Amino acid sequence: MRENRLLSTKNIAVMGMLGALAAVLMLFEVPLPFIAPSFYGLDLSEVPILVGTFALGPVAGAVMEVVKILIKLVLKPTSTGFVGEFANLVFGCSMVLPAGLIYRFHKTKKSAMIAMAVGTVIMAAVGIVGNALVMIPFYANFMPLENILAAGAAINPAVGNVWTFAVFCVGPFNVIKGIIVSVITALVYKRVSVMIHSIGMEGQRNKRRVGA
């Protein structure tokens, strides 16, 4: 029972390690210039968090998202007045929480695929709304809105305002990100989950040795 609690020693260690790994991955971004302007960068920070969410549950996923942001701020201070970090936290949670909830109740390979697909769609939808209402207006303080929209229109002529920019640039960008994250997670989850559970087994053996 104790090992299954969210704040067990094992779970805290796992959440800390995966959150730290996610923070490091967050520093490395790759632009997708054929989908969105170059100031949107794709990172793989959701992979370790999604793995941890499947292994420990959706609440652990939210905790790891917070850990990721806090460690990232230590490694690289904010350049957006914390708005970018807050948006990353919200968008990340919008993927891992639904995925974690679905997988929690149906732990099968098929359910995992469905969970990640649902998480990707929700993240894309939240990303569209969040960018249209918060992110793009915020960045308009640093770059003229006309230039932001022009960068989007150069990729997709349908872009003409904030909402079409969010729909035709940000939406597809997050869908591609979700697909890439999901594929990598599917490839590595089984191996990593074995390592996560082995941490708990090793801890139990150590306790028995101490008790002996």
Side-chain angles (χ1 to χ4, degrees), residues 99-111:
L101 284 170
I102 293 172
Y103 186 72
R104 181 185 181 94
F105 296 105
H106 302 282
K107 293 187 176 182
T108 65
K109 186 175 182 180
K110 180 180 179 180
S111 294

Side-chain angles (χ1 to χ4, degrees), residues 20-25 27 68-77:
L21 175 58
V24 173
L25 291 175
L27 300 178
K68 176 187 76 173
I69 296 300
L70 293 177
I71 294 178
K72 181 270 173 188
L73 288 172
V74 172
L75 298 175
K76 182 180 179 181

Side-chain angles (χ1 to χ4, degrees), residues 17-191:
M17 289 188 295
L18 293 178
L21 175 58
V24 173
L25 291 175
M26 189 177 172
L27 300 178
F28 300 94
E29 297 183 337
V30 178
L32 299 179
F34 55 95
I35 295 294
S38 59
F39 45 81
Y40 282 86
L42 184 149
D43 67 75
L44 300 177
S45 62
E46 305 310 328
V47 172
I49 292 181
L50 193 54
V51 168
T53 301
F54 282 165
L56 303 177
V59 176
V63 172
M64 287 182 286
E65 287 285 357
V66 173
V67 171
K68 176 187 76 173
I69 296 300
L70 293 177
I71 294 178
K72 181 270 173 188
L73 288 172
V74 172
L75 298 175
K76 182 180 179 181
T78 183
S79 59
T80 62
F82 302 103
V83 174
E85 287 78 15
F86 177 74
N88 185 282
L89 173 64
V90 172
F91 300 157
C93 285
S94 70
M95 179 180 187
V96 302
L97 290 182
L101 284 170
I102 293 172
Y103 186 72
R104 181 185 181 94
F105 296 105
H106 302 282
K107 293 187 176 182
T108 65
K109 186 175 182 180
K110 180 180 179 180
S111 294
M113 296 299 107
I114 294 174
M116 291 187 288
V118 171
T120 295
V121 171
I122 293 177
M123 179 177 68
V126 172
I128 289 173
V129 176
N131 272 266
L133 296 181
V134 179
M135 296 301 295
I136 298 174
F138 173 79
Y139 284 117
N141 294 318
F142 304 93
M143 178 186 297
L145 181 59
E146 294 77 11
N147 292 358
I148 296 175
L149 298 180
I155 298 170
N156 191 324
V159 173
N161 55 47
V162 169
W163 279 100
T164 52
F165 181 98
V167 170
F168 293 114
C169 291
V170 179
F173 177 89
N174 281 328
V175 168
I176 291 177
K177 176 179 178 177
I179 291 173
I180 293 174
V181 167
S182 298
V183 170
I184 297 176
T185 300
L187 292 174
V188 304
Y189 175 69
K190 188 172 182 179
R191 293 182 180 180

